[in-house]
Amino acid sequence: MSERSDAVVVGAGLAGLVAASELADAGRRVVIVDQESAEHLGGQAFWSLGGLFMVDTPEQRRLGIRDSRELALQDWLGSAGFDREEDHWPRIVAEAYVEFAAGEMRPWLHAMGLRWFPVVGWAERGGSLATGHGNSVPRFHITWGTGPGVLAPFERRVRAHMAAGRIILKGRHRVSELRIVDGTATGVAGEILAPATTARGETSSRAVIGDFEIEAGAILLTAGGVGGNHEMVRRNWPTARIGPAPQKLISGVPAHVDGRMLEIAEAAGGRVINRDRMWHYTEGVTNHDPIWPMHGIRILPGPSSLWFDALGDRMEPPALPGFDTLATLKRILSTGHGHSWFVLTQSIIKKEFALSGSEQNPDMTGKDWRAVLRNRRGRNAPPPVEAFKRHGEDFVVADTLGELVDGMNAIAGEPRLDRAHLEAQIVARDREIANPFSKDAQIIALRGARRYLGDRLIRTAKPHAILDSAHGPLIAVRLNVLTRKTLGGLHTDLDGRVLAADERPIPGLYAAGEIAGFGGGGVHG
């Protein structure tokens, strides 16, 4: 016999927890189902750095950053493009989100106890025109407590409603069908999976021990994206726009981020749009202590590392560290290879390298101010970065450039890189450091970065010659393509209603979070 509820939320990640808590606050009875264990609430958000896009905040103003909703929307539109017929709703949702990010978002979260690291990060700096891609100002607000810190207030709210009987959480329940009756979504059906003893993020069993049905007046899909499903990533890869997918991909998300519900919703009549719009990072390194299959970690670079393609050619703007991910991805793939290289010094790595993810930032995740100051203002890089330098298969450390290039070629498996060619480019760059003037766009950019107090304090090394032994040893890092974010998704309107092929809402069916990608148009989560 089927169970009945006011609403079913499919997916217990951040979007699902927010939606369920809001529904229960409004007096609705909610069932949350998730294919992973019930104790592992939070989905991919648990592993995140907890960075939030907010506009004109006290944190920005304290650092002298002048932001506004007009500037933020200009940046958003410059990045999104919105050049397709199906971008009507994505644009409307984006405009509404910028309004939210510049208005009630921070007070709403602050009232629930969220706080943010005082240095606002500057992600995706663009490197083109004012109307082009990127953020004109720093507006990446890292939550104190990282991803788990973002989840905490919503998990508290959900568990309080569970104790009161308004929310029922069903882990190891995998939805395989959306029930549609006379064009209206009326419920979900699927399989009960065997209990799992795996740790959070590890691949769990898919053994079936039963089935279930739940009827509800509203079905809300919050099941996340496709980054853990490389077959689906490759099937939807934007080859015409950026070139073919590389042979090697590493995963920035666990295997359960599998995209199943996108296909199930599409089979039920929902329209998926912009499925070729993805966001895969170019600075991925293989995790030396993996949790999920092909586990990769993204380096969050400062602006000083020299970036070379697989052939040993230094990449030109906007393919600079932290400036334009998709343009850089296209540039890397143009070589016929899927990897690239950072070349840097110990002085750069200790000041500029950060690793994305809650588990790679235990000081911030654990809200330990003393550890944060010690790790980010000390003589060495933060301990997780130093651990990758020592144990990571993509890292080379050497005292001389010749030894460094030999190590890089050993990692690549063939003598593709020529020491003299690499040295000539590095020496040319180093000559530009001697003056306060330069024609080298990267040097101009890093000097500009140091005008921002936050970057000068903890994110940008003092300019120096790469081959100056006083700043050694030399370090090279092979960078792989890291799957992460789904930008396309279920076509939704401003109320989160899933639209059919004729753009009419499917009664009773809603979507939120990464599976909807802002109306199927462009933002993760």
Side-chain angles (χ1 to χ4, degrees), residues 8 17 51 79 106 137 227 229 235 255 268 298 319 358 395 404 493:
V8 174
L17 297 181
S79 294
R106 187 186 181 282
V137 298
N229 185 340
R235 192 191 323 148
R298 185 200 174 197
S358 57
F395 284 71
L404 191 78
D493 62 15

Side-chain angles (χ1 to χ4, degrees), residues 57-121:
T57 64
E59 290 77 17
Q60 288 176 302
R61 292 192 291 272
R62 288 188 199 108
L63 293 167
I65 300 165
R66 297 179 181 177
D67 202 4
S68 67
R69 67 192 68 203
E70 293 79 15
L71 182 61
L73 183 60
Q74 173 180 300
D75 288 342
W76 194 298
L77 297 179
S79 294
F82 291 138
D83 57 352
R84 299 175 179 178
E85 184 178 346
E86 56 263 41
D87 286 338
H88 168 74
W89 279 113
R91 179 174 183 134
I92 290 174
V93 176
E95 291 171 347
Y97 186 78
V98 171
E99 186 75 19
F100 175 63
E104 65 180 303
M105 179 179 180
R106 187 186 181 282
W108 177 59
L109 294 173
H110 191 276
M112 283 187 278
L114 265 68
R115 300 295 184 268
W116 296 274
F117 191 60
V119 176
V120 182

Side-chain angles (χ1 to χ4, degrees), residues 55-262:
V55 178
D56 192 21
T57 64
E59 290 77 17
Q60 288 176 302
R61 292 192 291 272
R62 288 188 199 108
L63 293 167
I65 300 165
R66 297 179 181 177
D67 202 4
S68 67
R69 67 192 68 203
E70 293 79 15
L71 182 61
L73 183 60
Q74 173 180 300
D75 288 342
W76 194 298
L77 297 179
S79 294
F82 291 138
D83 57 352
R84 299 175 179 178
E85 184 178 346
E86 56 263 41
D87 286 338
H88 168 74
W89 279 113
R91 179 174 183 134
I92 290 174
V93 176
E95 291 171 347
Y97 186 78
V98 171
E99 186 75 19
F100 175 63
E104 65 180 303
M105 179 179 180
R106 187 186 181 282
W108 177 59
L109 294 173
H110 191 276
M112 283 187 278
L114 265 68
R115 300 295 184 268
W116 296 274
F117 191 60
V119 176
V120 182
W122 197 352
E124 289 296 309
R125 305 183 186 206
S128 184
L129 302 178
T131 53
H133 168 73
N135 288 294
S136 300
V137 298
R139 55 171 73 99
F140 188 73
H141 295 70
I142 300 175
T143 303
W144 189 229
T146 67
V150 179
L151 286 166
F154 300 104
E155 182 174 348
R156 280 197 303 270
R157 290 171 63 185
V158 165
R159 293 199 182 279
H161 284 302
M162 289 171 61
R166 287 182 290 271
I167 291 180
I168 298 173
L169 174 62
K170 294 178 177 291
R172 305 298 286 164
H173 280 57
R174 180 180 66 185
V175 172
S176 296
E177 180 186 358
L178 298 177
R179 294 287 170 84
I180 307 294
V181 178
D182 296 330
T184 297
T186 61
V188 299
E191 301 79 39
I192 302 172
L193 304 179
T197 58
T198 50
R200 184 193 290 269
E202 293 181 353
T203 303
S204 60
S205 166
R206 290 296 179 259
V208 175
I209 61 172
D211 51 37
F212 72 95
E213 296 181 17
I214 305 173
E215 296 179 7
I219 314 300
L220 179 59
L221 308 180
T222 59
V226 307
N229 185 340
H230 288 194
E231 187 278 328
M232 188 178 287
V233 168
R234 292 182 184 280
R235 192 191 323 148
N236 296 318
W237 190 268
T239 302
R241 192 168 73 249
I242 65 173
Q247 290 185 350
K248 178 183 179 182
L249 293 169
I250 58 177
S251 290
V253 294
H256 63 72
V257 186
D258 57 15
R260 292 182 74 253
M261 285 309 304
L262 277 169

Side-chain angles (χ1 to χ4, degrees), residues 395-450:
F395 284 71
V396 183
V397 182
D399 291 323
T400 69
L401 185 60
E403 293 171 332
L404 191 78
V405 173
D406 288 345
M408 295 164 73
N409 282 328
I411 288 177
E414 55 181 315
R416 186 180 299 129
L417 300 174
D418 177 72
R419 184 198 64 78
H421 180 54
L422 214 66
E423 183 175 27
Q425 297 173 86
I426 296 172
V427 168
R429 177 266 185 201
D430 284 355
R431 288 192 187 107
E432 299 280 313
I433 291 293
N435 290 293
F437 319 107
S438 179
K439 68 178 180 182
D440 189 298
Q442 185 173 5
I443 292 176
I444 295 170
L446 75 90
R447 285 176 173 154
R450 286 179 62 83

